[in-house]
Amino acid sequence: KAGVTQTPRYLIKTRGQQVTLSCSPISGHRSVSWYQQTPGQGLQFLFEYFSETQRNKGNFPGRFSGRQFSNSRSEMNVSTLELGDSALYLCASSLGLPQETQYFGPGTRLLVL
Amino acid sequence: AQSVAQPEDQVNVAEGNPLTVKCTYSVSGNPYLFWYVQYPNRGLQFLLKYITGDNLVKGSYGFEAEFNKSQTSFHLKKPSALVSDSALYFCAVRGPRRGGFKTIFGAGTRLFVKA
């Protein structure tokens, strides 16, 4: 079974631009969660989608948004990029129950100049 | 509020020696506990989890973890470390909260295994 895939793997943007990251979950998984990983803040939860609905949200500004499609694929959008948005963005998928394991993709490394 | 603490930023161990990576947590209700490992420029790989039942959980690559409810700990262990175990290890807790479950990760512990 194919794992979680994320595209693109690397991205360079400038301040003020917007960016869209994509995540394809493991087949059959209906939950997709997004995390931001930085050296200073560690792994921070962004949001979780389940069956096209946002089920949970972390403490990030409204510039960070996401959506999930009927095939469970998810996209994350960051508008008006700031230098501090430079990070590794990780997507994780699971079957959706709280005790289920989340499986992570390789991440998208975003550099904002 | 939910929280996870990994008190050691770094753990150094010689190859062949046992290793322990510590994790303590705070959550209301019964927690679900996870350990993940991250290699450079990679995503997180699942090692093991505790849901219920036996306090000693066995996982991938010879790792195991012991759930201790009274001490609210979930330490990761391995009887004999390998150089290839050198990586960044994350403990995570998933517990009930208003609005649903959310996974909280510890800050991570970097493990160095010396040959």
Side-chain angles (χ1 to χ4, degrees):
Chain A
K1 199 182 257 191
V4 178
T5 58
Q6 291 186 245
T7 56
R9 292 292 311 279
Y10 303 93
L11 209 48
I12 299 176
K13 292 285 188 179
T14 56
R15 278 183 300 172
Q17 287 187 310
Q18 75 164 18
V19 67
T20 299
L21 311 181
S22 181
C23 172
S24 293
I26 291 171
S27 177
H29 285 191
R30 297 167 64 190
S31 167
V32 173
S33 297
W34 288 89
Y35 296 86
Q36 181 195 65
Q37 185 178 20
T38 59
Q41 299 297 317
L43 272 160
Q44 302 281 310
F45 171 74
L46 280 154
F47 28 66
E48 179 196 8
Y49 286 87
F50 180 80
S51 292
E52 301 180 67
T53 301
Q54 187 179 86
R55 185 159 74 170
N56 219 329
K57 189 175 184 303
N59 298 322
F60 277 80
R63 300 186 297 107
F64 292 81
S65 63
R67 59 178 175 168
Q68 186 179 34
F69 302 95
S70 58
N71 62 357
S72 293
R73 189 177 70 85
S74 177
E75 286 182 348
M76 191 194 98
N77 185 276
V78 187
S79 63
T80 319
L81 284 166
E82 301 177 359
L83 296 179
D85 296 334
S86 295
L88 180 66
Y89 290 88
L90 292 165
C91 160
S93 77
S94 77
L95 290 170
L97 294 176
Q99 64 270 37
E100 297 292 342
T101 301
Q102 290 181 297
Y103 293 92
F104 284 79
T108 294
R109 186 164 295 281
L110 172 65
L111 177 62
V112 182
L113 300 176
Chain B
Q2 287 178 206
S3 66
V4 180
Q6 292 182 242
E8 301 154 317
D9 290 337
Q10 185 171 309
V11 169
N12 298 308
V13 65
E15 189 174 33
N17 283 1
L19 70 87
T20 299
V21 183
K22 296 180 181 177
C23 172
T24 59
Y25 66 91
S26 173
V27 67
S28 57
N30 294 321
Y32 302 124
L33 297 160
F34 303 81
W35 275 102
Y36 289 86
V37 60
Q38 186 177 34
Y39 296 97
N41 299 314
R42 304 282 294 276
L44 275 64
Q45 283 180 234
F46 169 72
L47 282 176
L48 51 78
K49 68 180 177 182
Y50 173 82
I51 303 302
T52 187
D54 286 342
N55 289 341
L56 185 63
V57 179
K58 292 189 183 295
S60 306
Y61 313 118
F63 284 94
E64 57 189 33
E66 186 167 10
F67 171 64
N68 188 316
K69 188 172 183 177
S70 62
Q71 296 186 2
T72 60
S73 68
F74 189 56
H75 300 332
L76 182 70
K77 300 182 180 185
K78 187 173 183 181
S80 179
L82 299 172
V83 172
S84 57
D85 293 330
S86 298
L88 186 56
Y89 290 81
F90 289 97
C91 178
V93 63
R94 195 168 173 87
R97 63 184 284 274
R98 190 174 58 197
F101 285 77
K102 188 168 85 169
T103 304
I104 303 293
F105 284 84
T109 298
R110 193 165 295 281
L111 173 67
F112 286 101
V113 181
K114 187 175 179 182

